[in-house]
Amino acid sequence: MQKRENLTKYIIMTIVSLLVLFPYYWMVCTSLKTPAKIFVSPPQWWPDPIRWENYTELFTMSNYGVYLWNSLKVAALTTLGTVVVSALAAYALAKIRFPGRNFFFLLFLSAMMLPVEVLTVPTFLGLAQFRLTDSHFALIVPQIFGMGGAFGIFMMRQYFITVPDELIEAAKIDGCAQTRTFVRIVLPMASSTIASLVIYTFFNSWNDYFLPLIYLNSSEKYTSTLALSLFSNEVGTTWNLVMAASVISTLPLLIVFFCAQKKFIESLAMSGIK
């Protein structure tokens, strides 16, 4: 009976996995097809012939390498800034007693409730006063100190609350200053939460289309998501290049996910208390 139940679970999970992976399989296949074979009926389930030239044309016919670098720079700096700011602010709100601590935490929570469309107009007007709209600064700094940072602070604070106060007191008795206690003891214990925050922030920044569309005007500053619109014109859309660009754009996401996932699993088996 138990074996039959396990077999049923495996069958269901296999079917669900195939349904989830099929769009990615179709994206890869389409990226290797000739333009004439993309919309044939019945559909061609495997590219014949395989056209690797789509990937070379992607970089020779456009500045897609520059767009990938722009996305990587924006996503990496946004992730790094969000993790640093969120960890510092969350530790202060969780473990340091000062007047108005709960008020500031509620203020951060209220920022999470505002839609990004509501914050875009005043943020755009403020950046326009300093002529920073057509720059990557507009995509990085407002996200670190805006809604993305508020979510990171909330996420990190919820973990820091679970850290025993006795551990911090013991570090003080041993002569550790507040900064050293945070860096050497508390922060390594939060590696699983940091890994989750890295995945969320990097994915959100890399896949963002709305904010680059609002702020960026110069094509050389486009991110990879915004650059996909350059493959469409009055004649139509070159779907083979769009799919090739999409395949390449997913590779950094997979790398970050698997690296952070490994750290996340390792952190569950480790403890900061010896």
Side-chain angles (χ1 to χ4, degrees):
M1 185 66 180
Q2 185 67 29
K3 293 183 178 180
R4 184 178 299 176
E5 291 180 357
N6 291 336
L7 179 61
T8 304
K9 292 179 182 178
Y10 291 144
I11 293 175
I12 294 175
M13 287 189 294
T14 302
I15 295 174
V16 173
S17 300
L18 292 175
L19 292 175
V20 172
L21 293 175
F22 177 76
Y24 296 95
Y25 168 77
W26 189 253
M27 178 177 64
V28 174
C29 288
T30 306
S31 68
L32 296 173
K33 292 179 181 179
T34 60
K37 296 293 184 68
I38 295 178
F39 295 106
V40 296
S41 182
Q44 191 180 62
W45 299 104
W46 182 256
D48 185 24
I50 297 178
R51 193 171 188 272
W52 296 103
E53 291 81 3
N54 291 337
Y55 287 91
T56 58
E57 290 180 5
L58 178 65
F59 291 95
T60 56
M61 296 177 59
S62 66
N63 294 325
Y64 198 71
V66 176
Y67 306 143
L68 283 176
W69 168 249
N70 292 338
S71 289
L72 183 61
K73 181 177 69 173
V74 171
L77 292 178
T78 302
T79 302
L80 178 62
T82 300
V83 170
V84 172
V85 172
S86 299
L88 292 172
Y91 180 76
L93 292 172
K95 294 301 180 183
I96 301 177
R97 298 185 181 276
F98 58 90
R101 182 178 67 170
N102 294 330
F103 169 76
F104 284 111
F105 178 63
L106 292 176
L107 194 64
F108 286 125
L109 287 182
S110 63
M112 295 173 55
M113 302 176 187
L114 296 175
V116 64
E117 293 80 8
V118 175
L119 300 175
T120 300
V121 174
T123 303
F124 182 89
L125 294 177
L127 292 172
Q129 294 295 324
F130 298 94
R131 298 181 180 179
L132 294 172
T133 51
D134 189 21
S135 66
H136 293 153
F137 180 92
L139 304 179
I140 299 172
V141 176
Q143 288 299 303
I144 295 175
F145 296 97
M147 188 171 59
F151 175 79
I153 292 172
F154 170 76
M155 190 175 182
M156 297 295 295
R157 177 185 177 273
Q158 296 308 108
Y159 176 80
F160 287 146
I161 288 177
T162 64
V163 176
D165 293 335
E166 293 78 8
L167 181 63
I168 299 176
E169 295 297 330
K172 290 181 180 179
I173 294 174
D174 290 338
C176 285
Q178 191 75 258
T179 304
R180 189 177 180 185
T181 301
F182 171 72
V183 175
R184 299 293 298 272
I185 298 176
V186 179
L187 201 59
M189 297 175 61
S191 56
S192 61
T193 307
I194 292 175
S196 301
L197 182 59
V198 166
I199 293 175
Y200 170 81
T201 307
F202 190 90
F203 277 40
N204 186 59
S205 179
W206 183 275
N207 292 324
D208 189 17
Y209 179 81
F210 177 73
L211 293 181
L213 180 65
I214 296 297
Y215 291 122
L216 301 182
N217 296 322
S218 304
S219 59
E220 65 272 9
K221 298 178 182 178
Y222 280 5
T223 58
S224 59
T225 53
L226 190 59
L228 293 178
S229 60
L230 299 178
F231 298 104
S232 299
N233 50 37
E234 305 83 20
V235 179
T237 302
T238 52
W239 289 107
N240 53 336
L241 297 184
V242 170
M243 292 301 174
S246 300
V247 171
I248 294 177
S249 295
T250 57
L251 295 180
L253 299 179
L254 293 175
I255 293 173
V256 170
F257 175 77
F258 283 113
C259 291
Q261 183 190 45
K262 181 180 179 180
K263 182 64 178 178
F264 175 77
I265 295 174
E266 288 178 354
S267 65
L268 297 180
M270 297 173 61
S271 173
I273 304 176
K274 294 187 179 180

